[in-house]
Amino acid sequence: MTGGGLLVAGTTSDAGKSVVTAGICRWLVRQGVKVAPFKAQNMSLNSFVTREGAEIGRAQAMQAQACRVEPTALMNPVLLKPGGEQSSQVVLLGKPVGELSARGYHGGRQQQLLGTVLECLAELRGTYDAVICEGAGSPAEINLRRTDIVNMGIARNAGLPVLVVGDIDRGGVFASFFGTVALLSREDQELIAGFLVNKFRGDVSLLEPGLDMLHDLTGRRTYGVLPFRHGLGIDEEDGLRISLRGAVRESEVSSPVGEDVLRVAVCAVPLMSNFTDVDALAAEPGVVVRFVDRPEELADADLVVVPGTRGTVRALDWLRERGLARALVRRAAEGRPILGICGGFQLLGEHIEDEVESRRGQVEGLGVLPVRVRFAREKTLTRPVGEALGEPVEGYEIHHGVAEVTGGEPFLDGCRVGRTWGTHWHGSLESDGFRRAFLREVAAAAGRRFVPAPDTSFAALREEQLDRLGDLIEQHADTDALWRLIESGAPQGLPFIPPGAPA
């Protein structure tokens, strides 16, 4: 027997599809429904490694947590990792299979993957009571509809009802809803069940006349109006939503336990990957995290994080062009804390031999850590566990670079020299005891009277966020109607809205 299903589409990228999908998943699992997430094709530099060693989008890993199930490659069979303006690495069923230009991918390769995508979805629907699918961008991208495998392409082939999410905080949500439907073919429109308004501020009664008019115009109802809530942008996939200059990334504004706050500056390198690594820092009371792109912005930082990147050599060039490279070398010489993660660890080393990503051959690194990096064609995808700073720690690795550590003190898989640490491990700061021990060292080196909170649990905070998403759906959506959609499909007899898709 095939389980029920629903596709959550959006009027735009960043309309809230990922968090709405997670919210529906958490609401369902609290009702005793065995549910799984699915996204046929994801374009993201924020990825995760499953227990079987497959790379998938972090958004789907987060949604699996909302479902209280272990993430697998079936939940995100195609992952595109941009390597520049024109090309992406294609990850199929968790393993990289090559680089393709956008034209090459949409010109034929994407459609070839439809069979694999449908097989993965069918396997999930055969295992779970319900599968909540997430679309990508907008389903009304008429230039891409012919080869689409993630929006109406998957909905048509799998017979999924579609819920369209619109971000009313941006404005123009009624036009976006109407236009999305009106640009689809008759066959596609038959699956558009209705709408969900996201990020509403104010009195819902003032919105209701517009929703009634939208129903009259389209024959489709609105399944809920979700209020605006701060701190719910977890594990984004479409890029950094916030301004990179002077932006603060935090869950809640909390007073420090000690007398001082701790300031963390994250270098906003090009093709930044897994910037979610710093979320665990931002969750600590009294830790302020901001993304920076100028050397003077490092001056008052107690810790500088050089994060992962899909282009290590390109990031090195960028650091040098902006004067950040000199600032980092000077900072290391002064014994002021620096943490390099994955690509950030690699560029802190002596040199990089790269015939894979940039194909620039041997490139000099910043020379801060005694490390030599050679890029291998095979990608390392692991879930390591270990101990550091006297505390248990676990993480995940996603990288082509193989590091040869020739000195310093051991630190996870990397090393430490003075107050500069480097590791390939993503996610290590989510280990609470290790994070506290690390922050104590940083505070001591920075001369700050900062004290980590003794009871901050990153896993518990993540669970609270997922429960808040479930609460939004339960309290502000018509859950009975949503369940009918998931169980029975789109309502019959939905009207066609002209003009429809171009021929």
Side-chain angles (χ1 to χ4, degrees):
M1 180 178 175
T2 299
L6 174 71
L7 177 71
V8 179
T11 56
T12 62
S13 294
D14 204 24
K17 298 184 293 292
S18 294
V19 293
V20 167
T21 300
I24 293 174
C25 287
R26 179 48 62 102
W27 159 65
L28 284 171
V29 81
R30 293 194 309 206
Q31 308 310 305
V33 177
K34 187 181 178 186
V35 59
F38 179 79
K39 184 159 185 172
Q41 171 200 296
N42 197 343
M43 178 173 278
S44 178
L45 288 172
N46 279 339
S47 58
F48 183 76
V49 179
T50 67
R51 294 216 177 274
E52 72 267 32
E55 184 180 9
I56 66 172
R58 270 200 71 105
Q60 279 61 65
M62 175 267 291
Q63 290 160 0
Q65 186 175 349
C67 297
R68 297 181 179 142
V69 298
E70 191 67 32
T72 73
L74 294 174
M75 298 171 183
N76 179 206
V78 181
L79 173 63
L80 304 179
K81 302 195 74 174
E85 297 297 324
Q86 299 293 331
S87 68
S88 293
Q89 183 181 69
V90 181
V91 179
L92 179 62
L93 292 174
K95 304 296 181 184
V97 294
E99 297 272 341
L100 274 181
S101 67
R103 180 179 293 274
Y105 184 68
H106 290 287
R109 178 60 169 153
Q110 183 179 33
Q111 190 66 21
Q112 294 170 7
L113 297 172
L114 179 60
T116 299
V117 162
L118 289 172
E119 288 171 7
C120 292
L121 177 57
E123 186 170 342
L124 288 173
R125 293 183 78 181
T127 306
Y128 292 88
D129 301 329
V131 178
I132 308 302
C133 308
E134 180 188 342
S138 161
E141 305 289 357
I142 54 178
N143 56 316
L144 302 177
R145 175 62 185 92
R146 183 177 60 84
T147 58
D148 169 51
I149 65 170
V150 65
N151 290 307
M152 301 313 299
I154 194 78
R156 281 271 291 278
N157 278 279
L160 295 172
V162 180
L163 183 69
V164 180
V165 177
D167 179 357
I168 197 170
D169 200 46
R170 293 181 172 191
V173 75
F174 292 116
S176 298
F177 281 146
F178 182 87
T180 296
V181 180
L183 280 174
L184 298 176
S185 68
R186 185 180 299 273
E187 294 80 6
D188 285 351
Q189 287 193 26
E190 288 173 356
L191 294 172
I192 303 293
F195 313 108
L196 186 77
V197 177
N198 192 28
K199 299 182 186 176
F200 180 71
R201 305 174 192 248
D203 185 344
V204 176
S205 66
L206 299 176
L207 186 67
E208 287 170 348
L211 301 179
D212 292 339
M213 287 185 273
L214 183 67
H215 182 270
D216 293 341
L217 286 165
T218 67
R220 290 158 174 86
R221 58 167 298 176
T222 298
Y223 284 77
V225 178
L226 307 186
F228 186 95
R229 290 288 186 267
H230 288 284
L232 293 180
I234 49 179
D235 290 2
E236 301 97 330
E237 63 178 43
D238 291 326
L240 202 55
R241 299 185 194 180
I242 51 182
S243 164
L244 294 179
R245 188 181 302 283
V248 176
R249 185 178 180 82
E250 60 192 346
S251 301
E252 300 274 347
V253 178
S254 303
S255 300
V257 174
E259 297 179 48
D260 288 344
V261 298
L262 207 64
R263 295 174 176 84
V264 178
V266 184
C267 295
V269 296
L271 299 175
M272 182 165 38
S273 61
N274 288 70
F275 54 80
T276 46
D277 280 332
V278 300
D279 283 354
L281 295 178
E284 283 284 350
V287 175
V288 178
V289 177
R290 66 185 189 273
F291 291 85
V292 303
D293 58 5
R294 298 186 304 194
E296 55 269 29
E297 293 175 301
L298 304 187
D300 68 342
D302 302 307
L303 170 67
V304 172
V305 176
V306 189
T309 171
R310 173 83 163 86
T312 303
V313 171
R314 178 175 169 182
L316 258 174
D317 292 341
W318 181 86
L319 289 169
R320 287 179 169 129
E321 289 164 4
R322 290 180 171 261
L324 283 159
R326 287 191 303 274
L328 285 169
V329 171
R330 184 169 59 248
R331 182 182 181 91
E334 293 169 352
R336 302 181 65 203
I338 300 171
L339 172 63
I341 302 173
C342 201
F345 164 45
Q346 295 167 5
L347 60 80
L348 291 174
E350 295 169 357
H351 68 250
I352 298 165
E353 189 179 326
D354 182 10
E355 299 292 350
V356 177
E357 276 186 358
S358 69
R359 298 177 184 169
R360 291 255 298 270
Q362 186 162 308
V363 178
E364 292 302 308
L366 298 188
V368 172
L369 292 175
V371 175
R372 298 166 189 166
V373 176
R374 176 185 55 81
F375 272 64
R377 299 210 172 270
E378 291 295 315
K379 182 183 281 191
T380 297
L381 296 168
T382 64
R383 291 273 293 270
V385 296
E387 184 177 299
L389 306 180
E391 297 286 346
V393 58
E394 59 184 86
Y396 56 99
E397 295 185 45
I398 305 170
H399 55 90
H400 284 278
V402 178
E404 178 191 358
V405 178
T406 60
E409 300 174 45
F411 177 70
L412 301 177
D413 70 316
C415 66
R416 164 189 184 170
V417 173
R419 300 298 182 183
T420 300
W421 297 264
T423 177
H424 276 128
W425 289 23
H426 294 290
S428 63
L429 294 168
E430 295 179 19
S431 297
D432 298 325
F434 168 75
R435 182 181 63 253
R436 293 185 197 112
F438 178 72
L439 289 176
R440 280 193 291 269
E441 288 218 14
V442 168
R448 296 286 185 190
R449 289 170 295 183
F450 168 84
V451 178
D455 55 355
T456 300
S457 166
F458 185 76
L461 289 172
R462 172 55 53 87
E463 278 295 303
E464 287 175 18
Q465 283 188 309
L466 293 172
D467 276 331
R468 289 174 67 199
L469 292 178
D471 292 343
L472 280 178
I473 298 299
E474 190 168 333
Q475 296 167 12
H476 300 282
D478 186 337
T479 51
D480 289 340
L482 268 181
W483 178 245
R484 286 195 296 272
L485 273 188
I486 294 166
E487 194 174 38
S488 305
Q492 297 296 305
L494 292 169
F496 171 71
I497 308 301

